[in-house]
């Protein structure tokens, strides 16, 4: 398969709907009523309704995002695309691990229900001993992992059967319960002291609503997602909320509340009691009711586990596709069309969690992580609506925007407050891990910058510096090679753009064209923008964009209104993640070079990128002269010469001025071989450096030279280049200085400080060499 791997569209509306219902229905019916009733009595039914209403806000946001971007990964994918890869890492790990924990927990419960039927023994594997529930859960886990491995179509068919059977059993129980209901058992509906427990209990039972967003995790596999996805997401929440509330009310009206409170098997015991009141041919049906609801418990845990495995493996797959984790997980099975590696990794985690046992705390932590994901998902919708990127075209739109996503975000984050503190602490630890993972692994690999980050950077001149700095600090640094060009003069714009585009083309990179418009100090930036300075600056950038596109290179354009010009270049290079900055050098280029005054505070800090400064005397790279004496900046000048040679078929001459011609020739040949310029013309001269450069440059069309240790840019702004010949040669000059971290003292006081540092280092090396030689003689 060429290009990006795609998943087969095998899931219809019913299959998508049952994925959501199947993930949610288990805990809400078979585990949580005991806890909820113990703390709030009949009012517990209201906590499920409140939970459903809160979930509905996020369901609406998820539906719009899902129809606009029906891609595998669901909430993770939307957050990653809208808020950027840092939040993508947090949401991806939270969603993936939360579902893996939940899947293991469901399989543990599955083992408990099966064990109640068969009474399996415990199992010892060397130093590891497994309970009967764990052993049975492992068998079930391998079964469902295998089903997911074979294909989503088989998974959806199995899920349909499980959920429909489960709903039939619950429906039968509800009918029997209605015939035995007594409304007096529901009074008082809100016992004294229970009102203050409503939100804490809602936070506990909210784990019952973790399934609806998982439908979006398989959005790429849903047929006609524009219609079926919102119906499945919203429909699953409405159906499950109705079932929860109605079932719990009937349960509490049909049996004493004391039977339900703090009883994890209350539903099974209630069924035995209610069905036992009826008989056929004199035989009581209590055992039948017990068996049906026990079987329902099996179906509930199985459906939750099956749907969670399906969804979590798709999140894992999407993270691999976005390079948050290794892209090797992207592989699609040639026969089954499933992300088999993602399923295998997720399955392995589930097996490990099952063997470790004691998963209740981890499963609860998963619910906190999902609340974080839900809050971020609602914020993602707001970002996509406000930024309005060209590719964002949803088939379904959230009503009453922005009220719905704001309420969804606030309520999701607020519920976390009511979770047990140690679970919150564990979840914070997982969020911290995801953050460290991003900066330690993913940031150097991911390429997606996120809509929010680009929206902030595009408005860097309008927004607070803190916001711009924050956006810049989390941007990925592995994307395409970025060549920034600060443009100020329309006459020299085409040559700078040609140079930048040629370099970007060879690196498969992007040109970032920036126009830093100078605003007088007495004029506010807002006033300048109102007077059209912002729009006028774009005219130059539009011409530059056309020039870049002739090279077949991607281009970004940005306008910055500033009271500074030259100094702003450093900020812009950092803001837009430039790997290389190409700028002009003239009498008043960018408001500073060629003049004595300059803001030395800016120049005293580290260069944010490599710099090329172009003295334009015509753009003709046919004959390039590269003088070199070695040093770190000569690497950059060699790299630029190679790129120009590749793009324009340039002829390169290397020049080295030395006291000893033979030693100089050996040095230059080795330097040429090291920098992949062995086919260049070698020229070694003796005598005055400036005179020899001037002589060699008379035959060149472009002079490319690395900066000396004193610092290129600080000398340019002072108009005090040591090599005065660079002002006098007839050809264009390209000065190169690499990105480096130089101390404030060195930047301020120039070569003297650096020369003393080098002298001290050389003396230390010489002393070490003398000591080694003496030790060798003594031996």
């Amino acid at each position: 398969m060429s290009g990006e791997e795609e998943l087969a569209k095998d899931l219809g509306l019913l299959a998508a709907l049952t994925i959501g219902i199947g993930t949610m229905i288990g805990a809400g019916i078979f585990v949580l009523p005991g806890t909820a009733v113990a703390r709030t009595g009949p009012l517990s039914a209201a906590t499920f309704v409140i939970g459903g209403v809160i979930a509905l806000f996020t369901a609406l946001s998820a539906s719009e995002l899902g129809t606009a971007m029906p891609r595998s990964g669901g909430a993770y994918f939307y957050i990653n695309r809208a808020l950027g890869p840092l939040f993508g890492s947090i949401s991806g790990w939270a969603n993936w691990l939360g579902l893996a924990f939940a899947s293991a927990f469901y399989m543990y419960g599955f083992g408990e229900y099966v064990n109640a039927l068969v009474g399996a023994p415990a199992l010892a594997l060397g130093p590891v001993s497994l309970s009967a529930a764990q052993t049975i859960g492992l068998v079930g886990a391998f079964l469902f992992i295998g089903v997911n491995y074979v294909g989503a179509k088989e998974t959806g068919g199995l899920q349909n059967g499980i959920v429909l059977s489960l709903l039939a059993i619950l429906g039968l129980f509800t009918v029997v319960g209605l015939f035995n209901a007594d409304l007096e058992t529901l009074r008082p509906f809100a016992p004294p002291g229970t009102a203050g427990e409503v939100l804490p209990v809602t936070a506990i039972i909210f784990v019952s609503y973790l399934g609806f967003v998982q439908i979006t995790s398989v959005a790429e596999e849903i047929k006609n997602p524009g219609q079926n996805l919102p119906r499945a997401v919203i429909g699953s929440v409405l159906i499950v909320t109705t079932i929860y509330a109605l079932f719990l009310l009937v349960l509490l009206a049909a049996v004493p509340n004391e039977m339900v409170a703090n009883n994890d098997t209350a539903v099974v015991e209630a069924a035995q009691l209610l069905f036992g009141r009826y008989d056929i041919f004199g035989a009581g049906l209590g055992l039948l009711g017990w068996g049906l609801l026990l079987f329902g418990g099996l179906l509930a845990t199985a459906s939750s586990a099956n749907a969670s495995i399906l969804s979590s493996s798709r999140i894992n797959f999407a993270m691999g596709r976005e390079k948050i984790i290794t892209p090797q997980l992207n592989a699609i099975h040639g026969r089954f069309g499933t992300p088999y590696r993602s399923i295998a990794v997720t399955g392995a985690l589930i097996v490990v969690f099952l063997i470790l046992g004691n998963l209740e705390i981890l499963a609860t932590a998963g619910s906190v992580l999902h609340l974080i994901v839900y809050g971020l998902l609602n914020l993602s919708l707001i970002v996509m609506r406000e930024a309005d990127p060209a590719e964002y075209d949803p088939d379904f739109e959230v009503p009453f925007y922005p009220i719905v996503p704001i309420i969804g975000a606030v309520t999701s984050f607020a519920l976390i407050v009511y979770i047990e503190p140690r679970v919150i602490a564990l979840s914070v630890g997982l969020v911290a891990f995801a953050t460290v993972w991003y900066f330690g692994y993913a940031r150097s690999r991911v390429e997606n910058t996120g809509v929010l980050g680009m929206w902030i950077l595009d408005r860097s001149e309008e927004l607070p510096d803190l916001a711009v700095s924050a956006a810049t600090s989390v941007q990925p640094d592995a994307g395409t090679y970025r060549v920034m060009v600060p443009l100020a003069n329309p006459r020299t714009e085409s040559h700078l753009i040609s140079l930048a585009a040629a370099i970007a083309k060879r690196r498969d990179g992007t040109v970032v064209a920036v126009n830093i418009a100078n605003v007088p100090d007495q004029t506010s930036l807002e006033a300048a923008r109102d007077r059209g300075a912002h729009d006028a600056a774009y005219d130059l950038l539009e011409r530059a964009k056309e020039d870049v596109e002739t090279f077949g290179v991607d281009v970004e354009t940005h306008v910055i209104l500033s009271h500074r010009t030259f100094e702003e270049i450093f900020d812009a290079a950092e803001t837009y993640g430039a790997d290389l900055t190409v700028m002009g050098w003239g009498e008043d280029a960018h408001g500073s070079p060629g003049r004595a005054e300059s803001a030395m505070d800016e120049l005293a800090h580290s260069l944010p990128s490599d710099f090329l400064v172009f003295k334009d005397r015509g753009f003709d790279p046919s004959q390039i002269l590269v003088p070199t004496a070695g040093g770190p900046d000569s690497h950059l000048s060699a790299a630029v010469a190679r790129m120009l040679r590749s793009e324009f078929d340039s002829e390169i001459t290397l020049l080295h001025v030395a006291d000893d011609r033979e030693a100089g020739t050996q040095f230059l040949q080795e330097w040429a071989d090291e920098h992949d310029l062995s086919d260049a013309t070698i020229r070694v001269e003796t005598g005055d450096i400036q005179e020899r450069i001037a002589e060699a440059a008379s035959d060149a069309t472009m002079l490319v030279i690395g900066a000396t240790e004193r610092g290129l840019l600080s000398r340019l702004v002072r108009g005090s280049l040591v090599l005065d010949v660079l002002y006098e040669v007839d050809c264009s000059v390209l000065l190169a200085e690499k990105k480096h971290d130089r101390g404030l003292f060195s930047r301020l006081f120039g070569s003297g400080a650096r020369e003393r540092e080098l002298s001290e280092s050389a003396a230390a090396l010489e002393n070490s060499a003398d000591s080694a030689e003496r030790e060798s003689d003594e031996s």
Side-chain angles (χ1 to χ4, degrees):
M1 183 179 294
S2 61
E4 193 175 72
E5 301 278 15
E6 299 291 339
L7 300 174
K9 292 186 179 297
D10 287 333
L11 303 178
L13 174 60
L14 181 60
L17 192 65
T18 54
I19 287 173
I21 294 175
T23 308
M24 290 187 282
I25 203 72
I29 294 297
F30 291 94
V31 178
L32 294 176
T35 301
V37 172
R39 296 181 62 174
T40 56
L43 195 60
S44 57
T47 66
F48 281 92
V49 174
I50 295 172
V53 171
I54 293 174
L56 186 60
F57 288 109
T58 301
L60 290 167
S61 296
S63 296
E64 176 173 328
L65 292 167
T67 60
M69 298 174 284
R71 300 294 297 275
S72 185
Y76 154 74
F77 179 81
Y78 313 142
I79 294 169
N80 185 61
R81 186 55 51 91
L83 303 182
L86 171 59
F87 290 100
S89 177
I90 293 172
S91 64
W93 281 103
N95 220 348
W96 176 28
L97 292 181
L99 284 171
F101 290 144
S103 298
F105 184 69
Y106 294 143
M107 293 317 306
Y108 195 96
F110 176 81
E112 290 280 13
Y113 277 105
V114 172
N115 188 50
L117 290 174
V118 301
L123 180 65
L125 297 174
V128 179
S129 60
L130 301 176
S131 67
Q134 286 175 294
T135 304
I136 298 171
L138 283 172
V139 174
F142 282 114
L143 171 65
F144 287 112
I145 292 167
V147 170
N148 278 271
Y149 190 96
V150 170
K153 185 175 182 179
E154 290 74 11
T155 303
L158 178 63
Q159 192 72 6
N160 290 348
I162 290 175
V163 173
L164 292 177
S165 300
L166 177 60
L167 292 180
I169 292 172
L170 294 177
L172 178 61
F173 176 89
T174 303
V175 171
V176 173
L178 283 172
F179 281 111
N180 291 271
D182 182 2
L183 296 181
E184 288 300 320
T185 62
L186 297 177
R187 297 175 181 172
F189 187 74
T194 59
E197 293 291 319
V198 170
L199 287 179
V201 171
T202 301
I204 294 173
I205 62 91
F206 197 76
V207 68
S208 305
Y209 291 97
L210 299 187
F212 64 92
V213 171
Q214 308 320 322
I215 298 173
T216 65
S217 297
V218 294
E220 194 171 337
E221 300 161 80
I222 295 177
K223 301 173 184 177
N224 190 15
Q227 292 184 359
N228 288 338
L229 191 145
R231 291 174 180 175
V233 172
I234 298 171
S236 65
V237 173
L238 294 176
I239 290 172
V240 168
T241 302
T242 302
I243 291 174
Y244 283 160
L246 180 61
F247 184 90
L248 193 55
L249 283 174
V250 170
L251 176 66
L252 294 178
V255 300
N257 286 194
E258 294 76 14
M259 176 182 287
V260 180
N262 287 323
N263 187 350
D264 293 338
T265 60
V267 173
V268 176
E269 294 181 13
Q272 185 174 10
L273 174 64
L274 294 177
F275 279 75
R277 296 173 182 175
Y278 301 91
D279 62 78
I280 297 179
F281 304 116
L285 299 180
L287 184 61
L288 174 63
W290 177 85
L292 280 176
L293 268 295
L294 185 62
F295 181 60
L298 289 174
L299 292 179
T301 53
S303 67
S304 295
N306 183 59
S308 297
I309 293 170
L310 174 65
S311 300
S312 61
S313 64
R314 268 45 175 191
I315 295 168
N316 176 286
F317 169 80
M319 292 172 71
R321 183 157 60 183
E322 296 289 332
K323 300 180 182 178
I324 295 290
I325 56 179
T326 174
Q328 293 181 1
L329 294 174
N330 286 11
I332 302 296
H333 198 286
R335 178 182 176 187
F336 303 128
T338 58
Y340 67 101
R341 290 180 179 173
S342 293
I343 293 172
V345 171
T346 300
L349 285 174
I350 293 171
V351 169
V352 170
F353 296 155
L354 259 174
I355 293 174
L356 292 176
N358 192 22
L359 303 176
E360 186 173 353
I361 293 297
L362 295 177
T364 309
S367 68
V368 177
L369 295 174
H370 277 83
L371 284 169
I372 295 173
V373 171
Y374 290 177
L376 294 176
L377 186 145
N378 283 284
L379 295 179
S380 297
L381 173 65
I382 296 174
V383 168
M384 298 303 284
R385 279 285 195 101
E386 297 303 315
D388 193 25
E391 69 275 11
Y392 189 73
D393 185 22
D395 294 325
F396 170 85
E397 292 188 355
V398 168
F400 306 110
Y401 174 86
I403 297 174
V404 167
I406 289 176
I407 293 177
V410 171
T411 53
S412 295
F413 290 134
L415 274 183
I416 296 175
V417 176
Y418 298 100
I419 300 292
E420 189 178 353
R422 60 174 175 167
V423 177
I424 296 177
L426 177 60
S427 302
V428 170
L430 289 174
V431 170
F433 164 78
T435 303
V436 172
W437 177 270
Y438 170 71
F439 285 105
Y441 173 86
R443 191 184 185 197
S444 61
R445 293 169 172 82
V446 298
E447 299 177 3
N448 167 51
T449 57
V451 171
L452 177 61
M454 291 308 302
W455 185 87
I456 292 175
L457 296 181
D458 285 343
R459 292 159 180 79
S460 56
E461 76 282 357
E462 306 172 23
L463 299 175
D465 291 342
L466 182 61
V468 178
S469 297
T472 302
S473 65
V474 300
Q475 289 300 299
D477 58 10
T480 55
Y481 190 78
R482 297 171 66 79
V483 183
M484 191 185 82
V485 190
L487 300 173
N489 192 337
R491 292 174 299 175
T492 60
E493 166 264 318
S494 61
H495 291 167
L496 285 175
I497 284 294
S498 296
L499 177 61
I503 294 172
K505 182 178 181 181
R506 303 313 306 178
R507 297 293 297 269
D508 192 24
T510 298
V511 171
V512 182
V514 178
N515 190 334
I516 302 174
N518 186 26
V519 176
D521 291 340
Q522 61 269 28
T523 303
S524 69
L525 299 182
E526 189 64 36
R529 188 177 300 107
D530 294 340
R531 295 172 187 174
H534 196 275
D535 296 335
Y538 269 113
D539 294 339
L540 177 60
L541 293 180
E542 285 302 314
R543 291 196 297 271
K545 185 175 182 180
E546 294 174 1
D547 291 340
V548 172
E549 289 173 345
T550 62
F551 284 80
V553 176
D554 293 335
V555 59
E556 295 176 14
T557 57
H558 303 279
V559 172
I560 299 176
L561 301 181
S562 176
H563 297 301
R564 308 173 301 168
T565 49
F566 182 69
E567 295 88 344
E568 194 71 44
I569 293 174
F570 296 90
D571 292 341
E574 189 169 357
T575 296
Y576 299 116
D579 297 289
L580 175 69
T581 300
V582 179
M583 59 181 287
W585 160 28
E587 291 303 315
D588 193 21
H590 308 286
S592 210
R595 302 190 326 196
E597 64 269 26
S598 172
M600 287 301 295
D601 289 342
E602 293 290 343
L603 300 177
H605 290 83
S606 306
L607 294 184
S609 71
D610 294 344
F611 269 79
L612 295 181
V613 186
F614 186 56
K615 179 69 172 180
D616 189 2
R617 297 188 178 99
F619 185 75
D620 181 4
S622 59
Q623 301 286 336
I624 298 177
L625 174 65
V626 183
T628 181
D633 293 311
S634 67
H635 300 311
L636 179 58
S637 59
V640 172
R642 288 197 307 271
M643 285 186 280
L644 292 174
R645 178 184 62 185
S646 299
E647 184 64 27
F648 300 105
D649 196 24
S650 309
E651 295 183 9
I652 299 175
T653 298
L654 304 180
L655 173 66
H656 179 61
V657 181
D659 295 332
D660 185 328
R661 188 181 296 272
E662 182 178 350
T665 301
Q666 181 180 354
F667 160 78
L668 194 54
Q669 287 176 340
E670 292 175 354
W671 188 90
D673 293 339
E674 180 185 348
H675 293 86
D676 195 21
L677 291 171
S678 55
D679 57 345
T681 301
I682 301 295
R683 183 169 176 173
V684 178
E685 302 286 353
T686 59
D688 182 77
I689 295 177
Q690 297 198 57
E691 292 178 1
R692 300 294 84 80
I693 292 177
E695 292 172 0
S698 63
D699 298 325
T701 59
M702 184 177 293
L703 175 62
V704 180
I705 186 168
T708 64
E709 291 296 340
R710 183 174 180 185
L712 164 67
L713 294 174
S714 61
R715 297 196 315 275
L716 277 178
V717 298
R718 293 181 174 195
S720 59
L721 277 177
V722 175
L723 296 177
D724 293 330
V725 66
L726 302 183
Y727 291 107
E728 300 168 1
V729 296
D730 295 329
C731 64
S732 293
V733 179
L734 193 58
L735 297 175
E737 185 169 13
K738 287 183 66 63
K739 174 182 179 178
H740 54 77
D741 295 319
R742 297 177 63 186
L744 179 61
F745 187 81
S746 177
R747 291 293 291 177
L748 281 174
F749 297 102
S751 60
R754 179 60 173 167
E755 287 165 358
R756 285 193 297 274
E757 181 182 331
L758 290 174
S759 177
E760 292 169 359
S761 299
L765 288 172
E766 186 175 356
N767 291 335
S768 298
D770 290 342
S771 298
E773 186 176 358
R774 284 194 300 271
E775 291 176 4
S776 177
D777 292 340
E778 291 173 359
S779 300

